[in-house]
Amino acid sequence: MRRLLPLALLATLSACGMQPLYSSGTQGAVATTLGDVSVAPIQGRAGWLVRNALDDRLDALGGGTSRFQLQVVLDDQITGFGLLANDQVTRERRTLRARYQLVEAATGEVVLDATAASDAGIDIVSSEYATIAAENRALENLSLEIADQIVTRLSLFAREVAPAQ
């Protein structure tokens, strides 16, 4: 009886309807769609970081035509919220938000309009250099996180439209 229980559980898993996102590897519908995405220039230092991260993720699958263009607008904010009695800030939160649109190059139609956001806490220390370094490192990490969120959402979009193609 104990041996049959794992087999019964495995049989129920096969009927759950879950499918791998990147099935068929680089020849699959998701990978080929992601490979057809070019990233438009993004303003600012955060934009440069996000665009590089997106290019790293999408170019690995690409090499095809640019059927889609990804347009991204970023909002980068640093907010102080830990205060001492003398109104000195002791903690900051850096928030990076992205509104992105996937535009079909041939028609100019927006086929996906979504947002991504992430934030990080930063301790303010007595060394101004250390604080600036922490703020910069937070921006680098947030840029990678935003790029991952965007690529994941694009992958889901590609899987949804793949049967229609």
Side-chain angles (χ1 to χ4, degrees), residues 18-165:
M18 293 182 70
Q19 299 174 0
L21 187 60
Y22 295 103
S23 61
S24 302
T26 58
Q27 304 304 316
V30 172
T32 55
T33 301
L34 289 179
D36 290 343
V37 175
S38 66
V39 182
I42 308 169
Q43 294 293 319
R45 182 169 186 272
W48 180 79
L49 290 167
V50 170
R51 184 166 190 237
N52 282 344
L54 286 168
D55 281 342
D56 287 347
R57 286 153 179 77
L58 296 173
D59 284 348
L61 303 168
T65 62
S66 293
R67 190 173 133 205
F68 298 103
Q69 183 180 46
L70 182 64
Q71 299 171 350
V72 182
V73 177
L74 295 176
D75 178 28
D76 179 22
Q77 295 183 356
I78 298 178
T79 307
F81 64 90
L83 295 176
L84 295 175
N86 62 358
D87 290 335
Q88 183 178 359
V89 175
T90 61
R91 188 120 170 103
E92 293 177 334
R93 178 169 61 203
R94 186 163 205 160
T95 305
L96 186 61
R97 291 187 180 93
R99 177 166 187 232
Y100 57 97
Q101 296 179 325
L102 188 64
V103 179
E104 194 163 7
T107 63
E109 177 187 0
V110 176
V111 294
L112 176 66
D113 189 351
T115 59
S118 190
D119 62 28
I122 303 165
D123 287 327
I124 305 299
V125 294
S126 60
S127 169
E128 188 174 335
Y129 174 79
T131 301
I132 291 171
E135 290 172 350
N136 288 336
R137 185 63 187 164
L139 180 60
E140 292 168 8
N141 291 339
L142 293 174
S143 298
L144 295 174
E145 176 65 29
I146 292 293
D148 286 341
Q149 289 179 27
I150 291 173
V151 170
T152 299
R153 181 61 183 100
L154 291 177
S155 300
L156 293 172
F157 168 78
R159 184 179 68 181
E160 292 168 7
V161 299
Q165 294 177 354

